Short mmCIF file of all heavy atoms in Angstrom, two decimals:
data_model
loop_
_atom_site.label_atom_id
_atom_site.label_comp_id
_atom_site.label_asym_id
_atom_site.label_seq_id
_atom_site.Cartn_x
_atom_site.Cartn_y
_atom_site.Cartn_z
N SER A 1 31.20 79.33 -94.00
CA SER A 1 32.51 78.69 -94.04
C SER A 1 33.52 79.60 -94.72
O SER A 1 33.15 80.56 -95.40
CB SER A 1 32.44 77.33 -94.74
OG SER A 1 31.95 77.46 -96.05
N ARG A 2 34.79 79.25 -94.52
CA ARG A 2 35.90 79.99 -95.12
C ARG A 2 36.97 79.00 -95.59
O ARG A 2 37.17 77.97 -94.95
CB ARG A 2 36.51 80.96 -94.12
CG ARG A 2 35.54 82.04 -93.65
CD ARG A 2 36.23 83.12 -92.88
NE ARG A 2 37.15 83.90 -93.68
CZ ARG A 2 36.82 84.91 -94.50
NH1 ARG A 2 35.57 85.22 -94.65
NH2 ARG A 2 37.75 85.58 -95.16
N LEU A 3 37.60 79.36 -96.68
CA LEU A 3 38.78 78.65 -97.18
C LEU A 3 39.90 79.68 -97.24
O LEU A 3 39.87 80.60 -98.07
CB LEU A 3 38.53 78.10 -98.58
CG LEU A 3 37.83 76.75 -98.67
CD1 LEU A 3 37.30 76.52 -100.07
CD2 LEU A 3 38.76 75.64 -98.26
N ASP A 4 40.82 79.57 -96.31
CA ASP A 4 41.95 80.49 -96.25
C ASP A 4 43.23 79.69 -96.41
O ASP A 4 43.65 78.98 -95.49
CB ASP A 4 41.96 81.24 -94.90
CG ASP A 4 40.75 82.14 -94.74
OD1 ASP A 4 40.48 82.92 -95.68
OD2 ASP A 4 40.07 82.06 -93.71
N GLY A 5 43.82 79.77 -97.61
CA GLY A 5 44.96 78.92 -97.90
C GLY A 5 44.49 77.47 -97.83
O GLY A 5 43.50 77.11 -98.44
N GLY A 6 45.15 76.66 -97.05
CA GLY A 6 44.74 75.27 -96.90
C GLY A 6 43.79 75.03 -95.74
O GLY A 6 43.35 73.91 -95.52
N ARG A 7 43.46 76.08 -94.99
CA ARG A 7 42.58 75.91 -93.83
C ARG A 7 41.12 76.06 -94.25
O ARG A 7 40.75 77.03 -94.94
CB ARG A 7 42.91 76.93 -92.76
CG ARG A 7 42.13 76.71 -91.49
CD ARG A 7 42.68 77.48 -90.33
NE ARG A 7 41.89 77.20 -89.14
CZ ARG A 7 41.64 78.09 -88.21
NH1 ARG A 7 42.13 79.31 -88.30
NH2 ARG A 7 40.91 77.76 -87.16
N TYR A 8 40.28 75.11 -93.83
CA TYR A 8 38.85 75.10 -94.14
C TYR A 8 38.09 75.10 -92.83
O TYR A 8 38.23 74.17 -92.03
CB TYR A 8 38.53 73.86 -94.98
CG TYR A 8 37.10 73.75 -95.44
CD1 TYR A 8 36.36 74.86 -95.81
CD2 TYR A 8 36.50 72.50 -95.54
CE1 TYR A 8 35.06 74.74 -96.27
CE2 TYR A 8 35.20 72.37 -96.00
CZ TYR A 8 34.48 73.49 -96.36
OH TYR A 8 33.19 73.36 -96.80
N THR A 9 37.31 76.15 -92.59
CA THR A 9 36.52 76.23 -91.37
C THR A 9 35.04 76.36 -91.72
O THR A 9 34.67 77.01 -92.72
CB THR A 9 36.95 77.43 -90.49
OG1 THR A 9 36.87 78.62 -91.25
CG2 THR A 9 38.37 77.24 -89.97
N ILE A 10 34.21 75.74 -90.90
CA ILE A 10 32.76 75.77 -91.07
C ILE A 10 32.16 76.13 -89.71
O ILE A 10 32.56 75.56 -88.69
CB ILE A 10 32.21 74.40 -91.54
CG1 ILE A 10 32.89 73.97 -92.84
CG2 ILE A 10 30.69 74.46 -91.70
CD1 ILE A 10 32.60 72.53 -93.25
N GLN A 11 31.20 77.05 -89.70
CA GLN A 11 30.58 77.47 -88.45
C GLN A 11 29.07 77.40 -88.57
O GLN A 11 28.49 77.97 -89.49
CB GLN A 11 31.00 78.91 -88.12
CG GLN A 11 30.43 79.45 -86.84
CD GLN A 11 31.05 78.80 -85.61
OE1 GLN A 11 32.26 78.69 -85.49
NE2 GLN A 11 30.21 78.34 -84.69
N GLY A 12 28.44 76.68 -87.64
CA GLY A 12 27.00 76.65 -87.54
C GLY A 12 26.58 77.02 -86.14
O GLY A 12 27.43 77.26 -85.26
N GLN A 13 25.29 77.03 -85.90
CA GLN A 13 24.79 77.40 -84.58
C GLN A 13 25.19 76.39 -83.52
O GLN A 13 25.57 76.75 -82.41
CB GLN A 13 23.27 77.54 -84.62
CG GLN A 13 22.67 78.02 -83.32
CD GLN A 13 21.18 78.27 -83.44
OE1 GLN A 13 20.60 78.18 -84.52
NE2 GLN A 13 20.55 78.56 -82.33
N SER A 14 25.16 75.10 -83.87
CA SER A 14 25.45 74.07 -82.87
C SER A 14 26.60 73.15 -83.24
O SER A 14 26.96 72.26 -82.47
CB SER A 14 24.20 73.23 -82.60
OG SER A 14 23.81 72.56 -83.78
N GLN A 15 27.18 73.34 -84.44
CA GLN A 15 28.32 72.53 -84.87
C GLN A 15 29.32 73.43 -85.58
O GLN A 15 28.95 74.41 -86.22
CB GLN A 15 27.90 71.42 -85.83
CG GLN A 15 27.04 70.36 -85.22
CD GLN A 15 26.73 69.25 -86.20
OE1 GLN A 15 26.84 69.42 -87.41
NE2 GLN A 15 26.34 68.11 -85.69
N ARG A 16 30.61 73.04 -85.49
CA ARG A 16 31.64 73.74 -86.24
C ARG A 16 32.75 72.76 -86.61
O ARG A 16 32.90 71.71 -85.98
CB ARG A 16 32.19 74.93 -85.47
CG ARG A 16 32.98 74.58 -84.23
CD ARG A 16 33.39 75.83 -83.48
NE ARG A 16 34.23 75.50 -82.33
CZ ARG A 16 34.65 76.39 -81.45
NH1 ARG A 16 34.30 77.67 -81.57
NH2 ARG A 16 35.41 76.02 -80.45
N PHE A 17 33.52 73.12 -87.64
CA PHE A 17 34.57 72.27 -88.17
C PHE A 17 35.83 73.10 -88.38
O PHE A 17 35.76 74.26 -88.82
CB PHE A 17 34.13 71.67 -89.51
CG PHE A 17 35.20 70.88 -90.22
CD1 PHE A 17 35.53 69.60 -89.80
CD2 PHE A 17 35.88 71.41 -91.30
CE1 PHE A 17 36.52 68.87 -90.44
CE2 PHE A 17 36.87 70.70 -91.95
CZ PHE A 17 37.19 69.42 -91.52
N ASP A 18 36.97 72.51 -88.10
CA ASP A 18 38.26 73.13 -88.38
C ASP A 18 39.13 72.09 -89.05
O ASP A 18 39.39 71.03 -88.45
CB ASP A 18 38.90 73.64 -87.09
CG ASP A 18 40.09 74.55 -87.33
OD1 ASP A 18 40.46 74.77 -88.50
OD2 ASP A 18 40.66 75.04 -86.34
N GLY A 19 39.54 72.35 -90.29
CA GLY A 19 40.30 71.36 -91.02
C GLY A 19 41.35 71.96 -91.92
O GLY A 19 41.46 73.18 -92.06
N VAL A 20 42.13 71.06 -92.52
CA VAL A 20 43.23 71.45 -93.40
C VAL A 20 43.16 70.62 -94.67
O VAL A 20 43.00 69.40 -94.62
CB VAL A 20 44.59 71.24 -92.70
CG1 VAL A 20 45.74 71.54 -93.66
CG2 VAL A 20 44.69 72.09 -91.45
N ILE A 21 43.30 71.30 -95.81
CA ILE A 21 43.39 70.64 -97.11
C ILE A 21 44.87 70.57 -97.47
O ILE A 21 45.57 71.59 -97.43
CB ILE A 21 42.60 71.40 -98.17
CG1 ILE A 21 41.12 71.47 -97.78
CG2 ILE A 21 42.79 70.76 -99.55
CD1 ILE A 21 40.29 72.40 -98.63
N SER A 22 45.35 69.39 -97.82
CA SER A 22 46.77 69.22 -98.16
C SER A 22 47.13 70.04 -99.39
O SER A 22 46.28 70.35 -100.23
CB SER A 22 47.09 67.74 -98.38
OG SER A 22 46.40 67.25 -99.51
N SER A 23 48.40 70.38 -99.51
CA SER A 23 48.87 71.22 -100.61
C SER A 23 48.65 70.55 -101.97
O SER A 23 48.47 71.24 -102.98
CB SER A 23 50.34 71.59 -100.43
OG SER A 23 51.14 70.42 -100.40
N ASP A 24 48.61 69.22 -102.01
CA ASP A 24 48.35 68.53 -103.29
C ASP A 24 46.86 68.30 -103.53
O ASP A 24 46.47 67.68 -104.50
CB ASP A 24 49.12 67.21 -103.37
CG ASP A 24 48.66 66.18 -102.35
OD1 ASP A 24 47.73 66.46 -101.55
OD2 ASP A 24 49.24 65.07 -102.34
N ARG A 25 46.01 68.82 -102.62
CA ARG A 25 44.53 68.78 -102.74
C ARG A 25 43.97 67.36 -102.72
O ARG A 25 42.87 67.12 -103.16
CB ARG A 25 44.10 69.51 -104.01
CG ARG A 25 44.54 70.94 -104.05
CD ARG A 25 44.35 71.59 -105.39
NE ARG A 25 42.98 71.58 -105.85
CZ ARG A 25 42.37 72.60 -106.41
NH1 ARG A 25 43.00 73.73 -106.58
NH2 ARG A 25 41.13 72.49 -106.82
N GLN A 26 44.71 66.41 -102.16
CA GLN A 26 44.28 65.01 -102.13
C GLN A 26 43.74 64.56 -100.79
O GLN A 26 43.22 63.46 -100.67
CB GLN A 26 45.44 64.10 -102.55
CG GLN A 26 45.97 64.37 -103.93
CD GLN A 26 44.92 64.20 -105.00
OE1 GLN A 26 44.32 63.13 -105.13
NE2 GLN A 26 44.65 65.25 -105.77
N LEU A 27 43.87 65.41 -99.75
CA LEU A 27 43.52 65.01 -98.39
C LEU A 27 42.91 66.20 -97.65
O LEU A 27 43.42 67.32 -97.73
CB LEU A 27 44.79 64.54 -97.67
CG LEU A 27 44.67 63.81 -96.35
CD1 LEU A 27 43.98 62.48 -96.53
CD2 LEU A 27 46.05 63.62 -95.74
N LEU A 28 41.82 65.94 -96.94
CA LEU A 28 41.20 66.93 -96.06
C LEU A 28 41.03 66.27 -94.70
O LEU A 28 40.42 65.21 -94.60
CB LEU A 28 39.84 67.38 -96.61
CG LEU A 28 38.92 68.18 -95.69
CD1 LEU A 28 39.58 69.48 -95.23
CD2 LEU A 28 37.61 68.48 -96.39
N THR A 29 41.63 66.87 -93.68
CA THR A 29 41.54 66.32 -92.32
C THR A 29 41.05 67.40 -91.38
O THR A 29 41.29 68.59 -91.60
CB THR A 29 42.91 65.81 -91.83
OG1 THR A 29 43.84 66.89 -91.85
CG2 THR A 29 43.42 64.67 -92.69
N GLY A 30 40.34 66.99 -90.33
CA GLY A 30 39.89 67.96 -89.35
C GLY A 30 38.98 67.36 -88.31
O GLY A 30 38.75 66.14 -88.29
N GLU A 31 38.46 68.22 -87.46
CA GLU A 31 37.55 67.79 -86.38
C GLU A 31 36.29 68.63 -86.37
O GLU A 31 36.33 69.84 -86.54
CB GLU A 31 38.23 67.91 -85.02
CG GLU A 31 39.26 66.86 -84.77
CD GLU A 31 39.80 66.87 -83.34
OE1 GLU A 31 39.36 67.70 -82.52
OE2 GLU A 31 40.68 66.03 -83.06
N TRP A 32 35.17 67.92 -86.15
CA TRP A 32 33.88 68.56 -85.91
C TRP A 32 33.68 68.66 -84.40
O TRP A 32 34.02 67.74 -83.66
CB TRP A 32 32.75 67.73 -86.50
CG TRP A 32 32.55 67.95 -87.96
CD1 TRP A 32 33.03 67.19 -88.99
CD2 TRP A 32 31.78 68.99 -88.57
NE1 TRP A 32 32.62 67.70 -90.19
CE2 TRP A 32 31.85 68.81 -89.95
CE3 TRP A 32 31.05 70.08 -88.05
CZ2 TRP A 32 31.21 69.66 -90.85
CZ3 TRP A 32 30.41 70.92 -88.96
CH2 TRP A 32 30.49 70.71 -90.33
N GLU A 33 33.11 69.77 -83.98
CA GLU A 33 32.74 69.98 -82.58
C GLU A 33 31.26 70.33 -82.52
O GLU A 33 30.71 70.89 -83.48
CB GLU A 33 33.53 71.15 -81.97
CG GLU A 33 35.02 70.94 -81.95
CD GLU A 33 35.75 72.15 -81.40
OE1 GLU A 33 35.32 73.30 -81.68
OE2 GLU A 33 36.74 71.95 -80.68
N HIS A 34 30.62 69.99 -81.40
CA HIS A 34 29.24 70.43 -81.18
C HIS A 34 29.16 71.21 -79.88
O HIS A 34 29.97 71.02 -78.97
CB HIS A 34 28.23 69.28 -81.23
CG HIS A 34 28.40 68.27 -80.16
ND1 HIS A 34 29.11 67.12 -80.34
CD2 HIS A 34 27.95 68.24 -78.88
CE1 HIS A 34 29.09 66.41 -79.21
NE2 HIS A 34 28.42 67.07 -78.31
N ARG A 35 28.19 72.09 -79.83
CA ARG A 35 28.02 72.96 -78.68
C ARG A 35 27.23 72.24 -77.59
O ARG A 35 26.18 71.67 -77.85
CB ARG A 35 27.29 74.24 -79.08
CG ARG A 35 27.18 75.26 -77.96
CD ARG A 35 26.37 76.45 -78.41
NE ARG A 35 27.04 77.09 -79.52
CZ ARG A 35 27.43 78.35 -79.53
NH1 ARG A 35 27.20 79.11 -78.49
NH2 ARG A 35 28.02 78.87 -80.57
N VAL A 36 27.79 72.29 -76.39
CA VAL A 36 27.11 71.77 -75.20
C VAL A 36 27.12 72.93 -74.20
O VAL A 36 28.18 73.24 -73.64
CB VAL A 36 27.82 70.52 -74.64
CG1 VAL A 36 27.12 70.05 -73.37
CG2 VAL A 36 27.89 69.41 -75.67
N GLY A 37 25.97 73.58 -74.05
CA GLY A 37 25.93 74.78 -73.22
C GLY A 37 26.77 75.86 -73.86
O GLY A 37 26.59 76.20 -75.02
N ASP A 38 27.75 76.36 -73.13
CA ASP A 38 28.66 77.38 -73.66
C ASP A 38 29.97 76.80 -74.18
O ASP A 38 30.84 77.53 -74.65
CB ASP A 38 29.00 78.41 -72.56
CG ASP A 38 27.80 79.28 -72.20
OD1 ASP A 38 26.92 79.47 -73.07
OD2 ASP A 38 27.74 79.75 -71.05
N ASP A 39 30.11 75.47 -74.10
CA ASP A 39 31.36 74.81 -74.48
C ASP A 39 31.24 74.13 -75.84
O ASP A 39 30.17 73.67 -76.23
CB ASP A 39 31.74 73.75 -73.44
CG ASP A 39 31.97 74.36 -72.06
OD1 ASP A 39 32.57 75.45 -71.99
OD2 ASP A 39 31.55 73.74 -71.07
N TRP A 40 32.38 74.06 -76.53
CA TRP A 40 32.48 73.31 -77.79
C TRP A 40 33.24 72.03 -77.50
O TRP A 40 34.36 72.07 -77.00
CB TRP A 40 33.20 74.13 -78.85
CG TRP A 40 32.37 75.26 -79.37
CD1 TRP A 40 32.41 76.56 -78.95
CD2 TRP A 40 31.38 75.19 -80.38
NE1 TRP A 40 31.49 77.30 -79.65
CE2 TRP A 40 30.85 76.49 -80.54
CE3 TRP A 40 30.88 74.16 -81.18
CZ2 TRP A 40 29.85 76.79 -81.46
CZ3 TRP A 40 29.89 74.46 -82.10
CH2 TRP A 40 29.37 75.76 -82.23
N ILE A 41 32.61 70.88 -77.82
CA ILE A 41 33.17 69.57 -77.52
C ILE A 41 33.44 68.82 -78.84
O ILE A 41 32.52 68.62 -79.64
CB ILE A 41 32.19 68.73 -76.66
CG1 ILE A 41 31.70 69.52 -75.45
CG2 ILE A 41 32.80 67.39 -76.29
CD1 ILE A 41 32.76 69.89 -74.46
N PRO A 42 34.70 68.38 -79.08
CA PRO A 42 34.98 67.58 -80.28
C PRO A 42 34.17 66.28 -80.25
O PRO A 42 34.06 65.64 -79.20
CB PRO A 42 36.47 67.29 -80.18
CG PRO A 42 37.02 68.30 -79.23
CD PRO A 42 35.91 68.59 -78.28
N PHE A 43 33.58 65.91 -81.41
CA PHE A 43 32.83 64.65 -81.43
C PHE A 43 33.22 63.72 -82.58
O PHE A 43 32.92 62.53 -82.55
CB PHE A 43 31.31 64.88 -81.41
CG PHE A 43 30.74 65.43 -82.68
CD1 PHE A 43 30.21 64.60 -83.65
CD2 PHE A 43 30.70 66.80 -82.90
CE1 PHE A 43 29.66 65.11 -84.81
CE2 PHE A 43 30.16 67.32 -84.06
CZ PHE A 43 29.64 66.48 -85.02
N VAL A 44 33.90 64.23 -83.59
CA VAL A 44 34.34 63.35 -84.66
C VAL A 44 35.54 63.95 -85.39
O VAL A 44 35.62 65.15 -85.59
CB VAL A 44 33.20 63.04 -85.68
CG1 VAL A 44 32.79 64.26 -86.47
CG2 VAL A 44 33.55 61.89 -86.60
N ARG A 45 36.49 63.09 -85.70
CA ARG A 45 37.66 63.45 -86.51
C ARG A 45 37.40 62.84 -87.89
O ARG A 45 36.99 61.68 -87.99
CB ARG A 45 38.93 62.87 -85.90
CG ARG A 45 40.19 63.22 -86.64
CD ARG A 45 41.42 62.75 -85.88
NE ARG A 45 41.48 63.41 -84.58
CZ ARG A 45 41.72 62.77 -83.42
NH1 ARG A 45 41.94 61.47 -83.41
NH2 ARG A 45 41.76 63.46 -82.29
#
């Protein structure tokens, strides 16, 4: 995973996450995706 500014990304073999941490550090929002074949499909916000 990486934390670049407010952006938080997580990468795994079959799942990944792309999110944002608010500037006041009180909120983290984003979406998880899972791999289906060669495609990444969002499955949860």
Side-chain angles (χ1 to χ4, degrees):
S1 58
R2 297 191 66 81
L3 276 164
D4 295 310
R7 186 166 181 215
Y8 183 36
T9 56
I10 304 170
Q11 180 71 48
Q13 184 175 354
S14 62
Q15 293 183 341
R16 68 184 184 185
F17 174 77
D18 192 358
V20 175
I21 299 170
S22 64
S23 60
D24 66 0
R25 302 169 58 137
Q26 300 301 303
L27 192 66
L28 168 59
T29 58
E31 286 188 1
W32 278 97
E33 298 177 323
H34 64 264
R35 185 184 298 238
V36 178
D38 291 332
D39 299 321
W40 288 96
I41 310 296
F43 72 94
V44 67
R45 181 173 299 133

